[in-house]
Amino acid sequence: MCGIVGYLGDGNTYEVLIKGLHRLEYRGYDSAGIALVDTKGKLHVYKSKGKVENLENMCSGKDLEATAGIAHTRWATHGEPSDNNAHPHYSEDGNLALVHNGTIENYKVLKDALVKHGCKFHSETDTEVLVQLIEYIRLGNNCSLVEAVQEALKQVEGAYAIAVLEKDKPDTIIAARKSSPLVIGIGENEMFLASDASPFVEYTSNAVYLKDGEIAILKKGEPLKIIDLDNNNSKVDVTKLKMSISELEKGGYPHFMLKEIFEQPNTLRESIRGRVVDGGKRIIINGVRDNKETFVNARRIVFVACGTSWHAAMVGKYLFQDICDIPVVVEYASEFRYSNPVLGPGDIVIALSQSGETADTLAAVKIAREKGAFVFGVCNAVGSSIPRETHSGAYIHVGPEIGVASTKAFTGQVMVLTLIALSVAHLKGTLPEEEIARIGKALLDIPEKVEKVLKLNDKIERLSAIYTYAHNFLYLGRGCNFPTALEGALKLKEISYIHAEGYPAAEMKHGPIALIDEEMPSVIIAPKDHLYDKIVSNVQQVKARGGSIVAIVTEGDTVIKNLANHVLEIPEVPECLSPIVASVPLQLLAYYIAINKGKDVDMPRNLAKSVTVE
Ligand code: M6R
């Protein structure tokens, strides 16, 4: 949540920062702001409630000359979205400006102490305390800005990625991180900083991912310097970025979400590239191969994740139990971290996260490590925090996901979990080789099957018109498609603001069936699998109560076709792969309903893509 960006160099500081803010807007869009310093020692701060375009309107005609600048797009935690609470915040004397992503947990104590010393605060944010504290220390100790930052951060509890600008130092930016992401870009005569590399990918491919407890000193004409809070030098580890700009643009689609839905055939190809060999007979996941004994002897798998990643983990539960004979539990990372989890050697904790930065999942990973479990990450964002904290892992390789509603990450996660489960099943001998080869071959065909599902686009768009004004939806599924139902309901909720509940289809009769009437549509995921006959009964139960039914069925199904009001046919695939093909029509249905309602699907209200606060 919240995106920060900074620039120091000979280019157009304002333009670089604004473009960077647009790229980071997926992290929050409650307000945006910018601070610029010029060689005359002037510090200009402009900020505005709402999206980055409001800030741009406000800046038009203003003095935007600058050699360095920092900027912020906010997802509000402390204090309502307003101009006043927007970042950058500045010290009372106007000497420093600061942007922050994270949460300062002890801000109240620090604020009270500063107020006693005469400091005046102008916002309701936790962030303002940081900038006031740094300046208070700098003035009181007559020290440099870096020393003041070091001292202030020693007093701070919580998570932060910060960047600080000093009025009289137009050639320097100080940045620091703890538990919130921060990456520095090193170009020719220019340096960048940002919450992820997207704001500077077109200027440089040299990136340095800051580690917890590190402070970066960006100074014009000098190499990047990294130190810790006690002034020890850290190594500057330069990584070559592989991201391309086209991945960060809409490519002709009206929304990132639609682009990402349609990218899925290709992203799924990327997820399996080099991992499914010999026509599907062999599955290679390096992280499993390198930790063979751990996987073969695992006594339990514990998944930790949030949101859509949690739904993918639920699919993983069915997979690992069915084909690897390993007991599995799936935990919400936010609950796991405060639940005294009983873990130890023999337990594998698999952390799923698209961003690799979700605060609760990251905390769960740290706890699992402390408790002696083997921790494996399944993430998308390369170089993000979770992959760096885990013992091993596998990337899903679906490219940057920008739409706040996760789509291609879900199918990529399910795909990679299937690959992991198959390679473990092979090592353990829990699935006959012919069966592994059958599923392996089907895996290679999945991108084409998803291409076929995407041909339903126009039909789903028409269908969406019928259901746009429903107030509630029920999504039902069984077995590994119960999580598909949860995911379909989440997609609808988060972008159309329609209440939707995902439920195991058979559990419905223990309560939610009371909700069913002609105004409450049910979306039922009912492919031909080993529970097909059971779900047909559930469809009948809904129909008997007058509920209208949209069913996702296997091509050629006639039984449910006669019961449901509308059917969307998906190609036949092995049961364990059905969540991948079945989730795509649900993504499209949610998308078109939200569009019909005039909602901003890429930036739904109150949400942010990367949840880096608790
Ligand atoms: O980056 P992560 O996968 O850890 O994110 C987890 C959730 O915040 C995320 O899936 C969220 O639920 C999405 N908005 C769902 O579309």
Side-chain angles (χ1 to χ4, degrees):
M1 345 259 346
C2 300
I4 68 173
V5 54
Y7 176 75
L8 177 73
D10 299 334
N12 185 326
T13 305
Y14 172 77
E15 262 178 42
V16 173
L17 293 177
I18 288 291
K19 216 192 236 183
L21 282 185
H22 278 296
R23 295 255 167 87
L24 293 178
E25 217 169 3
Y26 72 88
R27 301 178 67 90
Y29 28 84
D30 287 333
S31 64
I34 193 164
L36 302 166
V37 280
D38 64 18
T39 42
K40 293 173 228 113
K42 276 203 205 117
L43 175 66
H44 298 289
V45 177
Y46 306 112
K47 36 198 211 169
S48 168
K49 185 180 165 184
K51 294 185 181 166
V52 177
E53 63 177 313
N54 293 1
L55 175 68
E56 285 178 274
N57 293 337
M58 155 180 234
C59 286
S60 113
K62 296 269 176 20
D63 184 357
L64 303 171
E65 268 306 306
T67 52
I70 55 176
H72 186 271
T73 180
R74 179 170 186 244
W75 186 84
T77 56
H78 297 68
E80 59 170 8
S82 68
D83 291 355
N84 240 13
N85 289 332
H87 300 213
H89 290 285
Y90 34 92
S91 55
E92 218 188 320
D93 57 7
N95 185 46
L96 303 182
L98 176 145
V99 289
H100 168 223
N101 164 215
T103 314
I104 305 305
E105 283 161 8
N106 61 338
Y107 84 98
K108 187 79 180 66
V109 180
L110 295 171
K111 185 171 176 175
D112 290 348
L114 286 166
V115 168
K116 270 198 197 130
H117 287 108
C119 254
K120 288 199 179 61
F121 281 77
H122 305 281
S123 78
E124 302 154 297
T125 65
D126 54 333
T127 299
E128 193 183 352
V129 85
L130 269 176
V131 68
Q132 302 278 24
L133 180 63
I134 294 169
E135 185 64 345
Y136 179 78
I137 293 170
R138 196 187 71 82
L139 292 174
N141 297 358
N142 197 17
C143 62
S144 69
L145 176 60
V146 177
E147 288 165 330
V149 169
Q150 285 173 316
E151 182 49 38
L153 294 182
K154 284 181 187 166
Q155 298 183 28
V156 157
E157 286 164 22
Y160 54 78
I162 57 165
V164 198
L165 208 54
E166 190 173 4
K167 198 164 100 179
D168 299 326
K169 303 267 164 45
D171 60 349
T172 309
I173 302 176
I174 309 295
R177 78 155 266 180
K178 186 183 157 215
S179 302
S180 292
L182 195 58
V183 53
I184 316 284
I186 305 175
E188 289 267 316
N189 299 323
E190 56 186 0
M191 280 195 260
F192 309 80
L193 65 90
S195 300
D196 69 37
S198 61
F200 58 77
V201 70
E202 70 226 69
Y203 307 103
T204 179
S205 59
N206 296 323
V208 177
Y209 289 90
L210 223 58
K211 298 188 195 76
D212 273 357
E214 288 184 336
I215 297 179
I217 302 164
L218 288 70
K219 190 155 190 216
K220 191 153 191 252
E222 291 185 12
L224 174 68
K225 189 171 176 199
I226 302 180
I227 55 172
D228 66 13
L229 299 193
D230 296 317
N231 231 15
N232 301 303
N233 283 316
S234 294
K235 192 165 168 262
V236 176
D237 239 334
V238 181
T239 305
K240 281 273 170 214
L241 295 173
K242 293 204 181 91
M243 209 185 273
S244 75
I245 307 175
S246 63
E247 289 178 305
L248 304 170
E249 289 167 349
K250 287 188 199 148
Y253 286 90
H255 297 96
F256 281 110
M257 183 180 176
L258 194 62
K259 177 190 173 215
E260 287 159 5
I261 292 173
F262 272 85
E263 271 176 352
Q264 288 175 109
N266 279 336
T267 56
L268 287 162
R269 278 185 196 105
E270 289 306 314
S271 299
I272 54 180
R273 185 183 297 285
R275 289 167 161 172
V276 183
V277 292
D278 290 348
K281 290 198 191 92
R282 278 195 317 128
I283 313 287
I284 304 168
I285 294 286
N286 293 342
V288 174
R289 190 196 53 199
D290 299 346
N291 298 285
K292 189 173 157 187
E293 293 305 315
T294 310
F295 277 94
V296 168
N297 298 318
R299 59 169 195 176
R300 188 171 62 139
I301 288 177
V302 180
F303 281 105
V304 290
C306 303
T308 287
S309 297
W310 189 88
H311 299 154
M314 285 288 285
V315 179
K317 176 182 162 130
Y318 290 91
L319 282 166
F320 280 88
Q321 288 186 167
D322 277 2
I323 67 179
C324 306
D325 274 347
I326 304 177
V328 177
V329 284
V330 184
E331 300 264 13
Y332 287 111
S334 55
E335 291 297 314
F336 173 90
R337 64 184 290 194
Y338 294 114
S339 66
N340 186 28
V342 181
L343 289 173
D347 286 330
I348 298 179
V349 170
I350 301 184
L352 263 91
S353 173
Q354 185 286 127
S355 62
E357 299 292 351
T358 299
D360 287 321
T361 312
L362 185 56
V365 163
K366 290 180 179 162
I367 291 166
R369 277 190 80 124
E370 278 161 25
K371 298 219 167 197
F374 176 78
V375 187
F376 194 90
V378 176
C379 296
N380 186 35
V382 176
S384 55
S385 300
I386 292 172
R388 282 186 282 123
E389 292 286 341
T390 46
H391 293 107
S392 181
Y395 283 112
I396 60 170
H397 291 309
V398 300
E401 190 182 63
I402 297 177
V404 166
S406 194
T407 52
K408 63 177 180 174
F410 176 76
T411 50
Q413 286 168 332
V414 174
M415 178 59 100
V416 170
L417 288 179
T418 311
L419 299 178
I420 297 171
L422 285 172
S423 57
V424 174
H426 165 72
L427 293 174
K428 289 187 70 181
T430 46
L431 202 63
E433 289 302 314
E434 313 78 71
E435 186 57 5
I436 294 182
R438 184 184 76 87
I439 302 174
K441 159 93 186 51
L443 278 170
L444 292 169
D445 296 338
I446 283 287
E448 269 170 48
K449 304 255 162 133
V450 170
E451 251 154 34
K452 207 164 174 202
V453 177
L454 288 168
K455 298 213 166 89
L456 291 170
N457 179 66
D458 295 353
K459 180 172 181 184
I460 297 174
E461 186 175 6
R462 288 192 298 276
L463 182 65
S464 69
I466 302 172
Y467 293 103
T468 296
Y469 297 100
H471 294 296
N472 296 288
F473 269 81
L474 203 52
Y475 281 68
L476 302 172
R478 298 189 74 141
C480 61
N481 281 306
F482 160 47
T484 314
L486 292 173
E487 176 58 8
L490 178 62
K491 288 294 85 86
L492 187 72
K493 271 187 273 214
E494 65 182 333
I495 59 170
S496 72
Y497 319 145
I498 296 175
H499 171 249
E501 235 182 294
Y503 235 77
E507 187 64 18
M508 163 197 68
K509 60 187 173 292
H510 300 285
I513 199 164
L515 296 167
I516 291 173
D517 61 17
E518 48 294 340
E519 295 194 356
M520 165 111 162
S522 294
V523 178
I524 307 184
I525 300 106
K528 280 255 170 66
D529 57 19
H530 78 288
L531 291 168
Y532 178 74
D533 292 340
K534 308 280 172 201
I535 207 158
V536 169
S537 309
N538 303 134
V539 172
Q540 271 157 338
Q541 289 153 7
V542 176
K543 191 175 167 70
R545 280 144 189 96
S548 63
I549 298 163
V550 177
I552 311 290
V553 298
T554 305
E555 270 167 0
D557 182 300
T558 48
V559 178
I560 294 185
K561 213 172 196 168
N562 287 330
L563 296 170
N565 301 62
H566 305 277
V567 293
L568 296 168
E569 293 185 64
I570 54 171
E572 190 172 351
V573 293
E575 184 166 336
C576 62
L577 303 179
S578 61
I580 298 178
V581 282
S583 58
V584 176
L586 304 184
Q587 297 166 351
L588 285 169
L589 184 65
Y591 173 80
Y592 283 113
I593 289 179
I595 293 294
N596 298 342
K597 294 188 79 167
K599 304 299 178 203
D600 185 344
V601 295
D602 280 340
M603 293 187 218
R605 70 182 179 207
N606 304 336
L607 286 171
K609 181 78 184 156
S610 193
V611 185
T612 54
V613 296
E614 278 200 55

